[in-house]
Amino acid sequence: MSLVPRPREVIATGGVVPYDPDGLELTSDPALGPEAYRAEVGPRGIALASGGPAGEFYGRATLRALGDVPIGTLADGPRFAWRGVLLDPARHFLPKDFVLRMIDLLAEHRLNVLQLHLTDDQGWRLPVRSHPRLTEVGGEHYTHDDLREIVAYAAERFVTVVPEINVPGHVQAALAAYPELGNDPGAGVQVWQGWGVSPHTLNLEESTIDFFVDVLDEVVDLFPSPYVHLGGDECLTDEWAATPRALERIAELGLSGPEAARGWITGRLVAHLEQRGRRAVFWYERADGPAGAVAMTWLDEESGALAAHAGHDVVLTPHLRTYLDYPTGYEDGPFAPDRFLALRDVYGFDPQPPTDAAGRVLGVQAQLWGEYLPTPAHVERQAFPRLSAFAEVAWGTAGDYDGFLARLPSHLARLGLAT
Ligand code: TNX
């Protein structure tokens, strides 16, 4: 069987039957989870029971990939409900057609979340009607029709598109368009041409919150996802500490200091999203995580348990296991070669929800940050085959690395991916 990810349980009794998509006997079984299915395979045909439309989709995809289906029983369903991939069109724009292709590849790997990192220091890729300069200044971008098409295409494949609007750091492109959002409106901040952590942040004015409330209202209208990502990562506090007006606001708001300002901004926007019926997600960095928001734990593997114990639902994204933008070795790059992530180490990622808060772990996500991936071809080459390994981790079928390596070539060949 060349399947990646493979079904969780196969009881083969001998012999095979060819998969005939029109010959299935379909039933629903509410006892199965919404993404789970069970196939009873007999010499004369296949009965497919599923817990919901996604389960039927994954059942059909598995049987199609198998071609010749072993007679017996296939019982299958994912370990994690959130099986995500992040694409970063903010650093280097990714054309719509490539995003659609990636959605196909996600679905083939039974991955079900596409996080689109739409804004950063280097670009703003989402048109906002109430603030048109964001994309006028922020560079190449999608149209609303593009984004609606992406969302609909993904939904047909049971993939949820989670938009990310990064605040209160990683905002240099927004400051270039609307300097009044910054701590020093006269500073002439430009869309950043380099990589790294920018010192610039949003200011703490009520008008800045209002601005991002407008942005989020449009985001919510475009993206039906129950989740909206607000970033929150790598936000330096020096600018607030050095700006008299920011310190005045910090006192006025009763905050303990500049360190607390980050949480104040995200907290306000989390609350607004809640009013609009959406849950916020943020990058967890062990401090001032907004209550009620989902934590993406990108630092070390231990921070997953810390965030869960702090009361957050969690998506595990430890960088040394899930950052597919890291090269696999020195031969791999024009990358900043200070970190590596080998195929074996992706496959060996064994996400362990804390036993006393296991229900808090929604799932796992792989990241394809775009700094050193200038074209779609780079992104695809960087993604595979490690994303195939990650898919088994997310589905819960990873374990035997040699077996995976043996299944991999025919899997990649079936999907037209380079080996
Ligand atoms: C850290 S991960 C970042 C990104 C970069 C990435 C590069 C995270 C929340 N922030 O802005 O693209 O490292 O690997």
Side-chain angles (χ1 to χ4, degrees), residues 322-346:
T322 68
Y323 275 28
L324 306 185
D325 51 307
Y326 292 171
T328 60
Y330 281 103
E331 69 286 357
D332 219 21
F335 303 92
D338 56 343
R339 301 208 191 269
F340 300 105
L341 178 52
L343 178 62
R344 177 189 289 276
D345 293 327
V346 177

Side-chain angles (χ1 to χ4, degrees), residues 375-395:
T375 69
H378 287 88
V379 177
E380 189 171 310
R381 197 197 61 174
Q382 199 66 8
F384 294 99
R386 288 179 297 174
L387 195 54
S388 303
F390 176 79
E392 290 214 353
V393 171
W395 194 262

Side-chain angles (χ1 to χ4, degrees), residues 251-336:
E252 224 170 86
L253 295 165
L255 302 174
S256 56
E259 291 296 330
R262 178 177 81 153
W264 177 76
I265 295 188
T266 44
R268 289 288 305 272
L269 297 178
V270 169
H272 181 71
L273 284 174
E274 241 163 55
Q275 279 173 16
R276 301 288 321 257
R278 307 300 172 93
R279 285 191 80 188
V281 189
F282 71 104
W283 297 110
Y284 177 82
E285 293 177 351
R286 298 187 160 202
D288 64 11
V294 176
M296 277 196 169
T297 55
W298 71 281
L299 297 174
D300 44 30
E301 287 191 52
E302 291 71 48
S303 57
L306 288 178
H309 288 143
H312 295 289
D313 286 341
V314 178
V315 177
L316 304 169
T317 58
H319 68 123
L320 292 177
R321 296 290 193 177
T322 68
Y323 275 28
L324 306 185
D325 51 307
Y326 292 171
T328 60
Y330 281 103
E331 69 286 357
D332 219 21
F335 303 92

Side-chain angles (χ1 to χ4, degrees), residues 91 170 233-234 283 298 323 325-326 369 371:
R91 267 56 176 270
H170 287 276
D233 58 310
E234 298 181 321
W283 297 110
W298 71 281
Y323 275 28
D325 51 307
Y326 292 171
W369 296 108
E371 289 96 324

